[in-house]
Amino acid sequence: MSPAAETVEAGAWYRQPVVWLGLVILLASVAGCIALMVLGARHDHDPSSAVQGGSVFGVPLHAVTAVAEEGREPLSPQPIAPAGRAQAHP
């Protein structure tokens, strides 16, 4: 082999360790994504199990109002309307 051919072969893409490292990281990321999708599909989410004590992740499901004056009873909690829907006020 001539010195020019050896230089070309030494610089080939498959001889670069950074290419292999990038390929390994890419394949590990894709495998991780697929594993998360498979695990997520196996375990169904029951939305009623997340609601405990009238809160989801510590956020109350109903609006709580403060007492404005001494001696007045606090208002009863009103349900919060889902985003995008107008709440009718009685």
Side-chain angles (χ1 to χ4, degrees):
M1 246 186 202
S2 68
E6 288 178 10
T7 306
V8 170
E9 189 171 323
W13 69 269
Y14 52 85
R15 291 193 182 262
Q16 303 301 319
V18 94
V19 172
W20 290 108
L21 177 64
L23 184 63
V24 167
I25 291 172
L26 174 69
L27 292 177
S29 298
V30 170
C33 291
I34 291 171
L36 285 175
M37 288 181 216
V38 169
L39 288 174
R42 285 186 184 177
H43 301 286
D44 290 335
H45 176 68
D46 183 18
S48 64
S49 67
V51 180
Q52 297 172 357
S55 66
V56 175
F57 298 117
V59 178
L61 295 176
H62 302 287
V64 180
T65 57
V67 178
E69 299 174 11
E70 287 289 323
R72 284 186 68 187
E73 292 183 28
L75 298 173
S76 61
Q78 300 294 320
I80 298 173
R85 294 186 185 172
Q87 182 176 358
H89 295 284

